[in-house]
Amino acid sequence: MIYTITLNPSIDYVMEVEGFEEGTINRASKTNYYPGGKGINVSRVLKRLGADTMALGYAAGFTGNFIKEKLIEEQVAVKLLEVDGHSRINVKLKAGMETEINGTGPLVDDDAVKRLLQQLNQLSSEDIVVLAGSIPSTVPSDIYETLIQKCQQHEAKVVLDTGGQTLKSLLSYKPFFIKPNHHELGDLFGVTIQTQGEVIHYAGKIHEQGVENVVVSMAGEGAILYTRSGVYFAKAPRGEVKNSVGAGDSLVAGFLAGYVKSRTSEEALRYGIASGSATAFSYDLCQKTDVYNLINLVEVEKL
């Protein structure tokens, strides 16, 4: 089973407005509501790719109920814990330039953390746990460390999809998989990375610290995988980019679905790039048919 933990899920309220004008009434030409949050996105894509997944984390109020209902509609197993307050609403305004306004989430107290840790007692060495997103201010700042320690007690693999100081401080726990882009990789070492050779050099330094799979995404240029069997470059297929939201989460989901299916990191990379690209070429998260249409177009080369 692949578990995802989203500490601060959201309703993503997407509004398309033609000719937006500040300070006056604007009418949306199109609106959509989606359950959001990085871990939630990973679970949604995993389910579409046929992988066993369960969404964990927190939900609150009528907005939290909406998130759970939408996940259930998509047949995603969900065990979001109830807390006080309301789950946040993130507004994404598409009007020429894209603007985001992210809401605040509910308060997660010590009791809520204990309940989440209790859920992880069911883990085994066959499981993968995805910790995705930044740590919200309403949650204890060391919660990822606490969750990783619980996962490792049960020998479950840990995936970290976060960045900045949070990621840097957690590398010593030797996660199974991380996915920084080349800018984030450079930030970990205080350098600016511009070439493929530099990506390989610094990804290797992360791998040497015990991270089994390091995937460094380079936007439309593809991605580098540094793993125990070697270094691989995957060239992204060409297409019209319609959506940037969730492409990275889809790459994570595709990589894990591919790994569970093939047990090889090279094939997992192919699935990941196809999934991320399929989302980028869609207006929502990718569908299975879109991913499989792209898989054979992903060129993977061992460097």
Side-chain angles (χ1 to χ4, degrees):
M1 174 74 78
I2 303 173
Y3 296 89
T4 64
I5 298 178
T6 310
L7 298 173
N8 202 7
S10 64
I11 296 175
D12 286 349
Y13 181 26
V14 183
M15 307 179 71
E16 295 185 20
V17 179
E18 296 178 6
F20 174 77
E21 294 184 29
E22 187 177 350
T24 187
I25 295 175
N26 294 269
R27 301 195 182 279
S29 58
K30 187 177 180 181
T31 60
N32 282 299
Y33 306 81
Y34 303 103
K38 293 180 71 62
I40 297 291
N41 290 341
V42 172
S43 273
R44 291 177 67 202
V45 173
L46 283 168
K47 182 62 181 180
R48 294 178 184 190
L49 296 178
D52 291 330
T53 183
M54 178 177 290
L56 305 178
Y58 300 107
F62 74 96
T63 45
N65 288 335
F66 175 90
I67 294 167
K68 288 188 286 188
E69 288 168 3
K70 286 297 182 183
L71 291 173
I72 291 168
E73 282 181 17
E74 296 189 27
Q75 298 183 323
V76 174
V78 55
K79 285 189 177 179
L80 296 175
L81 295 166
E82 290 284 344
V83 292
D84 292 334
H86 295 89
S87 294
R88 60 185 176 151
I89 299 175
N90 294 340
V91 179
K92 301 181 186 298
L93 177 63
K94 294 189 176 184
M97 294 180 66
E98 189 169 307
T99 302
E100 295 190 22
I101 305 174
N102 291 345
T104 56
L107 178 65
V108 177
D109 58 18
D110 290 342
D111 177 68
V113 174
K114 290 177 182 176
R115 286 188 286 146
L116 179 56
L117 291 172
Q118 287 171 354
Q119 285 184 319
L120 300 183
N121 283 330
Q122 65 188 318
L123 295 175
S124 74
S125 60
E126 298 298 313
D127 296 320
I128 298 172
V129 179
V130 181
L131 303 179
S134 58
I135 299 173
S137 60
T138 57
V139 174
S141 60
D142 63 347
I143 190 168
Y144 272 179
E145 188 171 358
T146 304
L147 292 170
I148 291 171
Q149 290 171 353
K150 174 63 76 170
C151 293
Q152 292 185 339
Q153 285 175 15
H154 297 278
E155 300 182 343
K157 292 181 173 64
V158 174
V159 172
L160 283 176
D161 188 12
T162 187
Q165 188 59 40
T166 300
L167 176 59
K168 189 173 184 178
S169 66
L170 296 173
L171 290 176
S172 61
Y173 286 97
K174 303 178 182 179
F176 170 71
F177 172 53
I178 65 169
K179 183 205 60 65
N181 61 38
H182 64 289
H183 298 298
E184 292 167 332
L185 179 64
D187 289 343
L188 291 175
F189 293 93
V191 300
T192 299
I193 293 177
Q194 297 178 322
T195 68
Q196 187 181 95
E198 291 170 338
V199 169
I200 295 170
H201 174 72
Y202 287 104
K205 285 184 172 294
I206 297 293
H207 181 69
E208 287 171 4
Q209 295 180 43
V211 181
E212 190 170 333
N213 296 285
V214 183
V215 171
V216 183
S217 56
M218 299 179 290
E221 298 305 311
I224 294 285
L225 165 66
Y226 204 114
T227 188
R228 64 178 61 174
S229 62
V231 180
Y232 299 88
F233 171 68
K235 187 175 181 180
R238 298 297 177 187
E240 180 187 355
V241 176
K242 301 176 181 177
N243 167 43
S244 60
V245 178
D249 304 328
S250 300
L251 191 158
V252 172
F255 184 94
L256 295 177
Y259 182 83
V260 169
K261 183 176 181 179
S262 68
R263 290 294 168 180
T264 68
S265 296
E266 179 184 356
E267 191 62 18
L269 178 64
R270 191 185 306 276
Y271 270 80
I273 295 299
S275 300
S277 298
T279 288
F281 302 157
S282 308
Y283 288 108
D284 187 18
L285 297 176
C286 59
Q287 297 289 345
K288 185 175 182 177
T289 53
D290 301 324
V291 174
Y292 278 82
N293 285 338
L294 292 177
I295 280 180
N296 291 331
L297 300 178
V298 178
E299 300 173 17
V300 177
E301 174 190 2
K302 188 170 185 179
L303 301 178

